[in-house]
Amino acid sequence: MALFQILDAIPELIKKTFPIPGRFKNALPLNIAKLSRLLTNNRGERTLSYLSRPEMLSAYLYYFLPWNLYRLCFLLPCLDLKLKPGDIVTDLGSGPLSFVSALWISRPELRNLPLEINCIDRCSPALDAGKNFFNALAGENNWKINLIRDDIDIRKTGKGKKASLVSAVNLFNEIYEKIPHNNTEKLKQFADNSAEFLHNTALQEAFIFTAEPGVPQSGRFISFLRDAFLKMERMPFSPCTHTESCPLAGNSGQKRWCHFAFETENVSNELQRLSAAAGLPKERLVISYLLTGKKTENTQSRVISDAFPLSSGLFGRYCCCADGLVLLTGVKNQITKIKPHSTVKINLNGNIDKKSGALTGELK
């Protein structure tokens, strides 16, 4: 079954796995909107056990789980993750197993591998719901899922065997979003501590995957996390194509930050209708992320923006490479046909774009 066929079937699978009694169905959009506020503007009102409340867990499962699956399933096929039979995967802050389910959906070549996956979260109801959902999604499979109810404290060394893949999806933003956006030193220290915690959870040759909401503070955190991993000799694997300074790194005054956007035109109609009913329609999904791993250096550039028209009549896309931010230019058909998030080779022409300050160049 193709990726989007599986994703289109997710809302119905959630209904079957977690049916809501009729008298509570009408309240679902309101609860989704309430949970969204708790996760964003009203973070101060959120308790540590917010997903233990049945109405909040249902809101998360019906709305946030499928949207997170789409976001991750757009990204994960682009990552060069190599796992072998018997590898351990540690998923930190698993919630309802969003990352594990997305990995199964989007990477079919991994489904037959015998993997041991440790899913760690402080909320038992979310973990149990995630296990039920994954079983309904995957049926009999070769993945051994271990649910571990535990608080995640970055000040302590990770427990258990070190893993070949460590994932932390939407784990850190609950903390760093409380840091004043102009306090770059405190954000950097938090990123250093987070990197050390992840480093101690992983094998030396492991992949470490961190994904956060694609907002400016997330981009800054990811940039500092990248710097911290470089000091530990963990090389950035993606989205970076190099180990030089991040051209999008900067303080809170900068308007640019590392993030990627995916269009939602292929998202199921049912999920779109529920989102509209909750007053939370989505036209694009954004994400900031970092994958570290063993890799060789290359001279390619990563495409980091949609195509847009230029005053010259040409089209452009922003890219990131070891030389810094690059504005790739060319005729419309040439630029728009490039796949989002792909890597390309660029001939720099020695010019600087006046608007963005980026180097400019054309495809090799």
Side-chain angles (χ1 to χ4, degrees):
M1 189 180 292
L3 173 63
F4 283 109
Q5 287 179 302
I6 298 175
L7 288 171
D8 284 348
I10 292 299
E12 191 60 35
L13 183 62
I14 291 173
K15 283 183 184 179
K16 291 179 179 178
T17 311
F18 311 105
I20 298 177
R23 65 185 185 279
F24 296 127
K25 282 184 179 179
N26 290 338
L28 180 60
L30 293 175
N31 287 330
I32 291 171
K34 181 178 180 181
L35 179 56
S36 177
R37 290 192 295 272
L38 286 176
L39 293 172
T40 52
N41 298 334
N42 296 347
R43 289 186 187 89
E45 301 175 14
R46 187 177 66 219
T47 64
L48 292 178
S49 58
Y50 67 98
L51 284 185
S52 297
R53 295 162 54 188
E55 75 278 14
M56 292 293 98
L57 182 57
S58 292
Y60 196 96
L61 294 171
Y62 274 71
Y63 177 83
F64 291 94
L65 174 59
W67 278 120
N68 283 334
L69 290 177
Y70 272 102
R71 182 182 288 108
L72 290 168
C73 286
F74 288 159
L75 175 62
L76 289 176
C78 303
L79 305 184
D80 189 19
L81 290 173
K82 293 183 178 69
L83 294 172
K84 60 185 184 298
D87 275 351
I88 293 174
V89 177
T90 295
D91 184 34
L92 299 163
S94 295
L97 276 62
S98 304
F99 172 77
V100 176
S101 297
L103 193 66
W104 190 91
I105 293 169
S106 64
R107 301 298 294 260
E109 77 279 8
L110 299 178
R111 294 176 193 169
N112 292 326
L113 284 184
L115 299 174
E116 183 172 353
I117 303 180
N118 296 319
C119 300
I120 306 174
D121 200 280
R122 61 183 168 223
C123 182
S124 294
L127 285 172
D128 292 337
K131 182 69 175 294
N132 291 337
F133 173 75
F134 182 79
N135 288 341
L137 172 70
E140 273 193 47
N141 62 85
N142 291 318
W143 294 6
K144 180 184 178 184
I145 307 291
N146 302 319
L147 303 185
I148 302 172
R149 198 278 185 206
D150 198 7
D151 286 325
I152 297 169
D153 189 342
I154 67 170
R155 296 167 298 182
K156 299 178 181 179
T157 302
K159 301 176 182 178
K161 293 181 180 179
K162 294 191 176 185
S164 298
L165 169 62
V166 175
S167 61
V169 177
N170 294 333
L171 174 64
F172 299 113
N173 65 84
E174 293 186 10
I175 301 174
Y176 66 66
E177 276 297 340
K178 296 177 183 177
I179 299 174
H181 288 197
N182 61 354
N183 193 339
T184 55
E185 189 55 41
K186 190 170 183 179
L187 182 65
K188 180 180 181 299
Q189 184 60 56
F190 177 66
D192 288 346
N193 294 341
S194 301
E196 184 174 1
F197 172 76
L198 294 170
H199 174 80
N200 290 332
T201 306
L203 294 168
Q204 183 56 46
E205 68 275 13
F207 294 102
I208 298 178
F209 173 68
T210 308
E212 295 288 329
V215 298
Q217 187 78 329
S218 298
R220 288 188 283 272
F221 168 75
I222 290 291
S223 180
F224 286 137
L225 193 70
R226 176 186 185 272
D227 289 342
F229 278 135
L230 278 170
K231 293 174 185 176
M232 298 172 183
E233 298 186 351
R234 287 194 182 274
M235 300 298 104
F237 192 92
S238 183
C240 309
T241 61
H242 60 88
T243 58
E244 302 300 319
S245 297
C246 174
L248 297 180
N251 57 36
S252 57
Q254 272 199 310
K255 295 182 179 180
R256 295 195 301 266
W257 68 97
C258 187
H259 67 290
F260 296 86
F262 304 96
E263 301 296 333
T264 60
E265 57 186 15
N266 293 318
V267 170
S268 73
N269 291 332
E270 185 169 355
L271 181 56
Q272 294 280 26
R273 284 194 295 269
L274 178 60
S275 302
L280 298 167
K282 292 182 184 291
E283 294 182 356
R284 304 171 85 204
L285 294 171
V286 293
I287 190 170
S288 292
Y289 80 94
L290 178 68
L291 178 72
T292 68
K294 295 286 185 180
K295 77 183 186 82
T296 55
E297 292 296 312
N298 63 54
T299 57
Q300 293 185 322
S301 301
R302 177 80 64 186
V303 178
I304 62 173
S305 80
D306 297 329
F308 53 89
L310 300 171
S311 58
S312 62
L314 298 175
F315 270 65
R317 294 181 91 145
Y318 287 117
C319 301
C320 177
C321 72
D323 293 304
L325 188 67
V326 176
L327 175 61
L328 172 65
T329 65
V331 296
K332 181 177 180 180
N333 289 343
Q334 182 187 43
I335 298 300
T336 57
K337 73 178 182 181
I338 300 172
K339 292 183 179 180
H341 199 268
S342 60
T343 56
V344 294
K345 291 187 176 181
I346 298 177
N347 275 322
L348 299 177
N349 56 27
N351 296 325
I352 301 291
D353 177 52
K354 293 181 180 179
K355 181 177 180 181
S356 64
L359 303 168
T360 63
E362 299 80 33
L363 287 173
K364 282 189 177 180

